[in-house]
Amino acid sequence: MGKGMMNGLVIYRDLYDQKGPFLYLLYGIAYLISNRTFLGVFIFEVIAATFFLYFAGKLIEKKSNRYIATGLIPVIGAAVYSSWSFYSGGAAEEFCLPLLALALYLLDEVLQDDLDGKRCKSIFGIAGICAGVVAQVKYTMLGFFFAWFILAVIWMAMKRDFSKLFSCIGRFIVFAIVPSVPWFIYFVATGSLDDWYRCYIYNNLFFYSHISTEQYSFLHKIYEMTKTLYWLIRDSFSYFIWIIAGFILQLVMEKKIIRKLSSLVIFGFTYFVIFIGGNKLAYYSIPLMPVAIIGAVYVGMLLTKIKINPAKKIHLCAEAGIAVVILAMSTVFAACNTQNAEYRGFNKEDVWLFEAAKYLDSDDTLLELNAIDAGLYTVSGIVPSCEYFQTNGIGLDMMFEEQKKYLKEGRTDYVLAVAFEPEFIDLNYCLVDTFEYNETDHEEIYYLYRKKD
């Protein structure tokens, strides 16, 4: 989608997918950095991770001290970035983590007794911008900001300064709209505003859910979500242990009820909005990760309470040594815990995509069936030329009918089909090669077809 944008195509109108436009812009810039690899995406991943850990460290330091924060940052980083949730990488949720961490930092500032009106307005404005950007990346993450807003408003309402409260609410709403304005202008100018609504809003709401139909009761949905949470905790215990620790320590160590429950409320709203639809992909739980910062914050506060203050008791060389040991241990943990460890032994020749790409040229056209893009568009340099250039996760009848039409017309030079030979493929295409792809718990067969002369 990002590649298409950078080559003059209009997202949603000319190419169909269901994520938000800011994500496609980011991937478009990444395409300009490196148009046949994910180097550009990796650069943005590192930047996003840096800011996420920076805001995490600032919050931990605020509640303890810099030395404790320095020790806990790599631990949290290892717990988050080596988890099962990052199995695939490059997800929309990943790039929003810095915004969620920043919002947590700002919420802690709001939930204080001495916040002046000018700073309060500034905080609500920044949080509004964060929410607005997230809304145009993947709006299912907005449960996080709904909880943020509710907690902040209730806290301020308890102060009975309603003039300041309404001013802050207005500031949040206005600034939340601002990030959408350039996209509104873009879609109006390209005549694709209805396509944006259809693809990003309507289809996600009414066609993407697995258990959102009337045949499932609300209690059944809650049951399914509870099961999902159980498996999330088992599969991603590296950061869930920090989330759970945060819940417990916050309840014990805080005195005021809103502060006691703030992380639980944020987690609950975020989790509910993301998983109420019944989908359970690994990366969906990434927006829950900032709540792990709360666990680290209270662990830091505990360490401060038991008088661990390296600034007074430990020599500078010893401090550096401790930091290096913690960083090394965190790195080893991440290297061993990551779900992608098996790929470190791969050579380029081991990846079927590069073998398949030898058949194609960047000027060719391609259609991929029965799966989202497996990476062949990237390694071959081909720009998508069909609206339904891949089989999207939302099983629209229109998509399948259009793809059949592409095959009957011989619309593209090549077709990549996953797991089966497509109907009508023999009309215009012949099989040139098959490729096997094997993972620890997954295997697939890809069929590459070329248009007949």
Side-chain angles (χ1 to χ4, degrees):
M1 296 290 283
K3 179 190 293 188
M5 287 182 70
M6 297 302 154
N7 283 275
L9 299 175
V10 177
I11 53 175
Y12 309 123
R13 187 193 71 186
D14 301 328
L15 300 174
Y16 177 79
D17 198 46
Q18 86 278 15
K19 299 295 195 304
F22 272 122
L23 181 68
Y24 300 139
L25 177 62
L26 183 148
Y27 268 79
I29 297 171
Y31 161 78
L32 297 179
I33 295 172
S34 178
N35 60 14
R36 295 204 184 195
T37 75
F38 284 111
L39 174 63
V41 178
F42 179 71
I43 291 172
F44 282 119
E45 286 183 308
V46 171
I47 293 171
T50 300
F51 279 100
F52 172 73
L53 294 176
Y54 171 78
F55 291 123
K58 292 291 287 183
L59 186 54
I60 297 168
E61 179 184 351
K62 181 180 178 182
K63 297 297 184 178
S64 52
N65 58 56
R66 179 167 295 184
Y67 302 97
I68 291 175
T70 302
L72 288 175
I73 286 172
V75 176
I76 289 295
V80 165
Y81 289 104
S82 68
S83 69
W84 173 75
S85 302
F86 275 89
Y87 182 74
S88 298
E93 290 84 348
E94 177 181 355
F95 298 109
C96 291
L97 277 180
L99 301 178
L100 304 185
L102 172 59
L104 266 188
Y105 180 82
L106 295 175
L107 180 63
D108 180 79
E109 193 170 347
V110 171
L111 302 184
Q112 304 294 334
D113 294 323
D114 55 350
L115 187 65
D116 66 79
K118 185 176 180 181
R119 178 57 183 164
C120 187
K121 292 178 183 178
S122 174
I123 287 175
F124 271 76
I126 295 171
I129 290 175
C130 291
V133 172
V134 167
Q136 294 294 353
V137 174
K138 192 172 181 180
Y139 62 78
T140 52
M141 289 182 277
L142 287 179
F144 181 99
F145 286 97
F146 182 77
W148 190 101
F149 184 81
I150 292 297
L151 288 167
V153 167
I154 291 176
W155 178 270
M156 293 183 64
M158 291 170 62
K159 303 297 180 185
R160 300 185 182 276
D161 189 347
F162 294 105
S163 175
K164 182 169 74 173
L165 172 62
F166 291 129
S167 178
C168 289
I169 290 174
R171 180 70 66 96
F172 182 94
I173 294 171
V174 169
F175 278 79
I177 295 171
V178 168
S180 296
V181 172
W183 291 114
F184 181 82
I185 296 171
Y186 167 81
F187 291 125
V188 169
T190 56
S192 58
L193 190 61
D194 58 334
D195 297 297
W196 168 81
Y197 172 77
R198 169 178 58 89
C199 298
Y200 184 49
I201 305 295
Y202 186 85
N203 287 353
N204 274 320
L205 283 176
F206 296 103
F207 294 107
Y208 200 51
S209 170
H210 288 173
I211 61 168
S212 59
T213 60
E214 294 181 1
Q215 62 181 303
Y216 293 101
S217 68
F218 181 75
L219 288 178
H220 181 80
K221 293 176 183 180
I222 297 299
Y223 169 71
E224 292 292 333
M225 292 172 66
T226 303
K227 284 201 308 182
T228 299
L229 180 59
Y230 168 75
W231 286 108
L232 281 176
I233 294 173
R234 282 195 55 176
D235 292 333
S236 296
F237 198 68
S238 62
Y239 67 86
F240 262 94
I241 191 173
W242 290 96
I243 293 176
I244 295 168
F247 292 159
I248 297 170
L249 293 175
Q250 193 171 49
L251 281 170
V252 172
M253 297 174 67
E254 291 292 347
K255 296 179 179 179
K256 297 187 177 180
I257 188 66
I258 291 184
R259 293 191 64 88
K260 281 178 176 290
L261 299 176
S262 61
S263 61
L264 192 59
V265 170
I266 289 174
F267 181 93
F269 275 100
T270 305
Y271 184 84
F272 181 84
V273 174
I274 291 173
F275 290 98
I276 187 62
N279 296 292
K280 305 172 183 178
L281 296 177
Y283 59 85
Y284 280 13
S285 59
I286 289 177
L288 303 173
M289 291 174 173
V291 185
I293 299 172
I294 304 299
V297 165
Y298 285 94
V299 168
M301 290 173 65
L302 273 180
L303 294 175
T304 303
K305 285 179 180 295
I306 60 177
K307 308 300 182 184
I308 293 183
N309 191 346
K312 296 180 180 179
K313 297 182 179 181
I314 303 177
H315 189 272
L316 181 61
C317 292
E319 294 171 15
I322 292 171
V324 169
V325 169
I326 293 174
L327 180 60
M329 292 174 63
S330 299
T331 303
V332 170
F333 173 85
C336 296
N337 191 59
T338 176
Q339 302 297 303
N340 294 300
E342 62 181 293
Y343 298 116
R344 289 200 294 267
F346 274 35
N347 295 314
K348 188 174 181 178
E349 294 75 21
D350 297 326
V351 183
W352 69 270
L353 281 167
F354 294 102
E355 186 67 26
K358 293 178 181 177
Y359 291 99
L360 296 90
D361 187 80
S362 60
D363 295 328
D364 290 324
T365 52
L366 174 66
L367 170 65
E368 295 190 347
L369 301 176
N370 198 39
I372 59 173
D373 175 35
L376 193 54
Y377 280 107
T378 299
V379 297
S380 65
I382 292 175
V383 178
S385 57
C386 302
E387 180 180 0
Y388 299 100
F389 60 95
Q390 62 180 357
T391 303
N392 192 272
I394 302 179
L396 299 173
D397 292 337
M398 170 69 75
M399 174 176 62
F400 296 121
E401 291 302 315
E402 286 294 302
Q403 289 180 338
K404 289 179 182 178
K405 181 180 176 182
Y406 301 156
L407 292 178
K408 292 177 181 179
E409 295 176 353
R411 181 78 65 89
T412 59
D413 299 315
Y414 288 87
V415 173
L416 182 72
V418 183
F420 72 97
E421 298 185 26
E423 187 180 6
F424 308 117
I425 193 69
D426 293 332
L427 291 177
N428 295 297
Y429 297 91
C430 59
L431 182 68
V432 294
D433 210 338
T434 60
F435 309 94
E436 292 186 4
Y437 174 63
N438 296 295
E439 285 186 24
T440 302
D441 59 350
H442 178 72
E443 60 182 52
E444 209 73 81
I445 298 178
Y446 293 88
Y447 300 87
L448 183 63
Y449 297 88
R450 181 192 296 128
K451 191 174 181 180
K452 296 177 181 177
D453 294 331

